[in-house]
Amino acid sequence: WWAPGWKPYFPDDYVALPTALAFNFNTANGVHIKDPEKRAAVALTKALRARGIRVVGRPRAGKAPSGLTSIAQVDSAPLVSVLRRQNVPSDNYYAETLGKLLGANALSRPGTIAKGAQAIDAFAAANGAPAINPSDSSGLSYDARVTADNIVRLLWYSDTQTWADDLRSALPTGGEGTLSDRFKGVDVRAKTGTLTDISALSGWVVSENTGSWIEFSILSSGMPKTTASHIEDRVVEIIAASVD
């Protein structure tokens, strides 16, 4: 529940504990919890007993015994739907949980924040964007370093893939989520990024002249968020109106 470049208060304030088994987004009464597995066991035990099912012993967290038999399963929503739930509000908990899953699948189990960052770095380097040096999957780290050029190169790569439209559909458009008060009437799909005196906006905007998607990335530091957002909005509007 930590990454290089995080502020000490991030786990309390900005990202709930990313776990394979979660309970109510690992938040209770507005507080990020440290024992979601046990809480899930308690809730399941109560639900079973309420239905007249006998449950022996007390709910607890621990290593599962061997020889268990699956009796039911719940399938998740499609990945693009999960990514939209992550990207529209810019949810750090979703990002770090998916990052741990990525690290487990791309490298080895168990999944960790560090492995997720390593997998992202390797993917970027293999597809035209070397040395982006992420420390996490949410972008919270002040240690991360990336150029606008590298972000655009990754957007170019995405445009060559079968999942390009899915990726765009998972991003907020004007009037939605983190863009709720921005880009009214502009056909844009973009992801924001915000830290203290640091702002980012990267994604696609539709050319008013050709109707095609135009990739962009705008990164800034050392200015208030409102100033940075105004500059980002004007740049994107100019790109949409002037690029053939």
Side-chain angles (χ1 to χ4, degrees):
W1 198 5
W2 185 255
W6 281 16
K7 300 297 185 182
Y9 53 85
F10 279 4
D12 286 336
D13 295 344
Y14 289 117
V15 54
L17 177 65
T19 52
L21 175 60
F23 183 71
N24 288 344
F25 302 98
N26 291 349
T27 303
N29 300 317
V31 176
H32 295 160
I33 60 174
K34 299 180 180 180
D35 59 346
E37 298 89 353
K38 183 176 180 180
R39 290 173 186 251
V42 169
L44 178 58
T45 300
K46 288 181 178 178
L48 291 172
R49 287 173 175 165
R51 287 161 174 77
I53 300 172
R54 181 171 175 262
V55 180
V56 178
R58 295 185 303 169
R60 60 188 177 87
K63 187 175 180 179
S66 59
L68 298 180
T69 300
S70 296
I71 59 173
Q73 73 177 39
V74 177
D75 294 331
S76 81
L79 179 59
V80 65
S81 298
V82 176
L83 289 175
R84 183 161 176 76
R85 295 176 196 173
Q86 168 192 291
N87 291 332
V88 171
S90 194
D91 193 297
N92 299 314
Y93 163 74
Y94 268 81
E96 294 302 346
T97 301
L98 288 174
K100 282 188 171 183
L101 175 62
L102 174 64
N105 288 342
L107 299 172
S108 64
R109 295 188 178 187
T112 66
I113 291 177
K115 288 179 183 178
Q118 184 180 346
I120 291 169
D121 198 32
F123 173 86
N127 295 291
I132 67 170
N133 300 319
S135 295
D136 56 27
S137 297
S138 60
L140 283 174
S141 176
Y142 282 87
D143 286 356
R145 293 293 182 270
V146 67
T147 65
D149 178 73
N150 276 344
I151 295 293
V152 170
R153 288 178 183 277
L154 290 175
L155 296 175
W156 287 342
Y157 170 77
S158 299
D159 282 332
T160 68
Q161 303 303 300
T162 57
W163 40 261
D165 288 339
D166 285 336
L167 176 58
R168 277 190 287 267
S169 71
L171 298 173
T173 189
E176 264 188 336
T178 54
L179 300 179
S180 60
D181 58 350
R182 303 171 65 179
F183 295 116
K184 301 296 174 63
V186 179
D187 196 352
V188 63
R189 291 282 184 170
K191 181 70 186 68
T192 58
T194 305
L195 293 171
T196 301
D197 292 334
I198 295 173
S199 184
L201 185 73
S202 303
W204 291 267
V205 65
V206 171
S207 167
E208 297 173 6
N209 297 321
T210 66
S212 60
W213 290 107
I214 304 169
E215 304 83 356
F216 66 86
S217 180
I218 308 161
L219 313 177
S220 64
S221 65
M223 67 180 72
K225 178 63 177 179
T226 52
T227 303
S229 295
H230 177 72
I231 293 171
E232 292 162 1
D233 293 359
R234 287 296 298 130
V235 170
V236 172
E237 290 165 358
I238 292 169
I239 291 172
S242 61
V243 175
D244 294 329

